[in-house]
Every structure is written in structure tokens, then in C-alpha cells.
Amino acid sequence: MMRLLRLIFGSIIIILAFNLFLIPHKVMSSGMSGLSMIIAMISPINTGVANFLLNFPLLVIGYLKLGKKFIWNTLISVLIISVGLYIVPVQAIVQDKILSSIFGGALTGLGVGIVFRSSGSTGGFDIIGMIVSRKKDFPLGALLSGMNAAVIVISGFLFDWDQALYTLVSIFVTGKVVDAVYTHHVKLTLMIITEKGDEIRERFISKVYRGLTVMDGVGGFSNEKRSILIAVISRYELAEVKSIIENVDPEAFVNITETIEVIGLFHRPSPQ
């Protein structure tokens, strides 16, 4: 229930950021939301309707590739955002475009970060990023930056380049706040110490497209046997791994550290 409430709360924050700060000044957000705003500004289609139509095929693909739980949470967020954008009136509460870009981007990042922490996403490029991250060690940051750059370029050609730079400010702030709320780094190293190593291993291998190393350990005080599981994952997989651990062994000790660089095979090798 708390996770659902966080999901709703994060989605509402995004709605307010769009309709009160960004859209009134024709400042775009990142990803598919930005494309939805552009469609709404050059056509009679409402931003909420455009957001749902653009996300629907990605939700179907994500359902097939990423599993039910994540996509259901994402669908809830997308529906709330789409309906909210349709209902909440577009009304600027700040007249300065720079302030609107900064605060709109910060609120968007806060909402997206909360949704991420609730084992969901706001759809769009996040689903694409998660699918790609499961298949190969692709420079995901470059992929998402390239897609966001397309939003900026389209904004510049359709409106003016001042608007494109305001959009750039908004996207930059959004990314920084998402990192602060959700996780600071693209790749993370996990060390899981648990009494239920076999169960976590099976769940991890079936749901996360990463390699995993399992070692035997002994508790320093209890002198009881433990399993130590070590893996490197992308930040897009952190919510799924946390969910696995919470369901199998809520008392497991988990250490999460930032990973600067990975040398060797990052994604799990295909079975021979």
C-alpha cells in the first residue's frame, strides 16, 4: 500500500511540474513526455492523451520483456499522469522562464525518482533503457542523452532556440534530481549477505539479466553459515533487486556501492 501511495504521489508531482511550470512556457521535459508536450503544442491533442498514446506500445513491449509487476506499476503511473495532465488546467504560477525551467525540472526529477523507488517508471525512454540494459552492455547514458537531445533539437526547430536552451536546462536539472532521489550512479555493485542464498540466487537469475557470484561465509558473532552474493547491475534494475530481497529475506544485509567502471562481461552470457 505504501508503495502504491508513493507511486501516486510521485505521479502527481510530475503533473504539477508539467502543467504549472513547463507547459505554460513551452519548456519541454525529457523523454516521451517532452514529445507529448510538442505534439500538444502543435496539434489539438491534449498532452495527457498524447502521453498515453505514445506510451501504450512501449507498455505492451515492456510487459513482454520486463515482467508484469514493473509494467503494472508503470501503467498506473502513466494513467495517473495522462489523466492528470488532461484534468489539471495549464496555468503558469511563475512568469520567469528560467525559474520555471529549473523548478519544473526539479519537480519532474523528484516525481520520477519517487516513481523509480516504487518499482515503476513513467514509461517512455525508461522502458527502452531497461530493455536495452538487459540485452547488452550498451552505453545507456549515451542512448538516453541522444534521445533527449532529439527532443531539444525538435523544440528548437519548431519554436525557437531560446526555448530549446530552456528545455536543456529543464532536462539537466531533472537528471540531477532523479540521481539524488533514486541513485547517484549508472552502475552499482551489490553485496548481499543472507541465509537464503539459493532462493535469492534463483530469483535473481530468473529476473535480472546480470551475472552473479556466490560465496560461502560465516557470521562473525553467530558463527552460522551465510551466503554472500555479489553482482554489478544498472540503476534501472535496482528496484527489481530490492523487491527480490524484500520478498525472500527482508533481514538480509545489503551493501550497495557506486561502480566507476566495469571491465569484462557486464551482461549475463547466453547459455550455450
Side-chain angles (χ1 to χ4, degrees):
M1 180 59 69
M2 286 302 298
R3 182 171 293 171
L4 177 61
L5 291 176
R6 289 200 304 267
L7 198 68
I8 295 172
F9 181 63
S11 301
I12 291 174
I13 291 176
I14 295 171
I15 295 167
L16 298 179
F18 284 6
N19 280 10
L20 301 184
F21 289 93
L22 299 181
I23 294 178
H25 295 287
K26 294 185 178 180
V27 177
M28 308 302 130
S29 178
S30 59
M32 206 63 76
S33 300
L35 295 178
S36 303
M37 292 178 180
I38 292 174
I39 291 173
M41 291 177 187
I42 63 175
S43 73
I45 300 176
N46 179 271
T47 306
V49 175
N51 185 65
F52 181 78
L53 292 177
L54 290 176
N55 276 290
F56 183 75
L58 293 175
L59 288 169
V60 174
I61 296 172
Y63 182 83
L64 299 175
K65 298 288 186 180
L66 301 176
K68 297 179 181 179
K69 180 179 178 181
F70 172 80
I71 291 301
W72 276 117
N73 288 341
T74 299
L75 178 60
I76 291 171
S77 178
V78 170
L79 285 174
I80 292 172
I81 292 172
S82 299
V83 172
L85 291 175
Y86 188 83
I87 295 175
V88 176
V90 176
Q91 178 65 48
I93 62 174
V94 177
Q95 299 305 316
D96 188 280
K97 286 189 176 182
I98 295 179
L99 287 177
S100 292
S101 301
I102 294 173
F103 281 95
L107 285 175
T108 301
L110 175 61
V112 170
I114 292 173
V115 171
F116 274 175
R117 292 181 70 92
S118 306
S119 300
S121 81
T122 56
F125 293 172
D126 296 328
I127 295 177
I128 297 174
M130 293 191 74
I131 292 173
V132 172
S133 72
R134 290 194 172 199
K135 295 302 179 184
K136 58 180 68 177
D137 186 14
F138 194 87
L140 201 52
L143 172 66
L144 297 177
S145 296
M147 291 189 288
N148 286 328
V151 175
I152 297 171
V153 172
I154 293 172
S155 173
F157 277 110
L158 289 179
F159 305 108
D160 60 65
W161 291 104
D162 286 350
Q163 294 298 130
L165 293 179
Y166 289 132
T167 297
L168 179 60
V169 170
S170 171
I171 291 175
F172 176 80
V173 174
T174 296
K176 290 297 182 181
V177 176
V178 168
D179 285 344
V181 174
Y182 184 56
T183 178
H184 296 278
H185 218 256
V186 175
K187 290 185 175 67
L188 307 166
T189 296
L190 302 176
M191 182 177 69
I192 308 166
I193 302 176
T194 175
E195 296 179 352
K196 300 180 179 179
D198 290 339
E199 294 180 48
I200 292 181
R201 173 186 171 277
E202 291 176 4
R203 294 277 191 95
F204 186 98
I205 290 175
S206 66
K207 293 183 176 294
V208 183
Y209 200 83
R210 300 295 170 202
L212 182 69
T213 299
V214 182
M215 299 183 292
D216 293 328
V218 177
F221 290 99
S222 66
N223 202 35
E224 296 178 354
K225 289 185 178 180
R226 302 280 194 275
S227 293
I228 303 173
L229 293 78
I230 300 176
V232 179
I233 64 173
S234 73
R235 71 177 182 181
Y236 295 95
E237 295 156 328
L238 181 58
E240 182 66 43
V241 173
K242 283 184 175 180
S243 177
I244 292 172
I245 296 170
E246 288 173 2
N247 291 331
V248 176
D249 185 8
E251 297 183 357
F253 176 84
V254 184
N255 184 34
I256 304 173
T257 57
E258 297 178 358
T259 300
I260 303 300
E261 183 178 4
V262 175
I263 299 174
L265 195 61
F266 177 49
H267 63 285
R268 192 173 69 209
S270 301
Q272 299 298 323

